Amino acid sequence: MDLRQLKYFVQIVESGSLAKASRQLYVAQPALSQHVAKLEAEVGKPLLIRTAKGVTPTENGAALHHHARFMLRQLDQALSIARQEPGTVHGMVSVGLAATTVCAVGVPFMRRVREKYPGVVLNVVEGMSGHLAQMMRLGQLDLAILFSRDAVPDLPAEPLVEEELFVMLPDSSELVAPRRIKLSCAETAELPLILPTGIHGLRRRISAEFEQRNLTTRVVAEIDSLSLLMTCVRDGMGATIKPMAAALLEGKMREHWRTLAFSDADMKRPNYLFSVVADRLTPAAAAVRAELRETVKDLVVGGEWRGVNLI
């Protein structure tokens, strides 16, 4: 087995077909097939399922794909470190952020890193916290902001901020009287709510709070896309429960939202900055971690990220 075979295999899996991988790698399709055959012979197990529509990995192939991606990424980072000039910081750093976190810190964080470390290539992955935690466990991310200290128990984490959760609805909504600035849990449960699905950590946090009070929420839709969820709420289909960062989606949308605090519940969500273990943390990743931490601090202190407290 050599690194070229692993590179080809990863590209085939991610392309979904030998023909597409052949075009992307500039390698003839018969040659790719031979490399896969040699890899399968060395592993001793089938790695791909071939159909008329393309290829998909077997269970063994999927496992190899996950680890091969990590190995290739580590190699790229090692070569980047070896090639960099003394005193400079170069390399690729992968950062996982939830959609609401991207709304709050994404652009200023990217701008800060680009200005300070032009040799660093940022790979920002937006996703649900559970998926990002899985990627951290598999070594596919260098850093991630997650919402539970136990999200990845074996990796170091530091507390960043605590977000308050609000009932959110558009200014034009008639679901809540204009004079109201707070709602009780019982009043909120009566609203038509649009929430993430149960696999989402935020939904579990919300459900736990209402279940403690023996309240049943009136959920009219479940949506895991932040953009679609907020658009449906903006269009009058219901209300939602989100951190205030959700109102920053698409910038100008913030001007059209009401954010109502809970009058009888401490609805908060902590944010933790996770990173890989010290011996795998590259100089570039360490620099990006510091910049992400400082970006968050500046946004909170400057009042640009509202509804949160530094912890």
Side-chain angles (χ1 to χ4, degrees), residues 16 86 89-90 136 143 155 159 161 211-212 239 244 263 285:
V89 178
H90 289 78
M136 283 295 297
L143 309 167
L155 294 183
V161 296
E211 287 170 2
Q212 283 183 353
M244 196 173 288
S263 60

Side-chain angles (χ1 to χ4, degrees), residues 136 141-142 154-156 274-282 289:
M136 283 295 297
L141 296 172
D142 297 296
D154 298 332
L155 294 183
F274 283 79
S275 59
V276 296
V277 293
D279 60 353
R280 283 173 42 202
L281 189 70
T282 65
R289 180 178 63 180

Side-chain angles (χ1 to χ4, degrees), residues 165-167 183-185 188 210 241 260-265 267:
L165 301 181
F166 297 86
V167 178
L183 291 178
S184 68
C185 287
T188 304
F210 283 89
I241 301 172
L260 309 177
F262 285 88
S263 60
D264 59 348
M267 293 280 273

Side-chain angles (χ1 to χ4, degrees), residues 65-128:
H65 172 253
H66 284 306
H67 290 286
R69 281 192 64 191
F70 170 71
M71 292 170 61
L72 293 170
R73 185 163 155 269
Q74 291 295 99
L75 176 62
D76 287 342
Q77 289 180 339
L79 291 174
S80 177
I81 292 169
R83 291 167 179 159
Q84 70 186 31
E85 296 295 327
T88 64
V89 178
H90 289 78
M92 177 177 287
V93 181
S94 295
V95 183
L97 302 174
T100 50
T101 312
V102 169
C103 291
V105 308
V107 172
F109 168 56
M110 292 288 295
R111 183 183 299 116
R112 186 178 186 126
V113 174
R114 289 297 305 135
E115 291 174 353
K116 195 166 183 179
Y117 298 105
V120 171
V121 177
L122 273 181
N123 170 30
V124 177
V125 179
E126 180 182 313
M128 292 191 298

Side-chain angles (χ1 to χ4, degrees), residues 148-166:
S148 168
R149 180 61 188 84
D150 299 324
V152 192
D154 298 332
L155 294 183
E158 55 182 300
L160 279 181
V161 296
E162 191 172 55
E163 294 179 284
E164 186 172 358
L165 301 181
F166 297 86

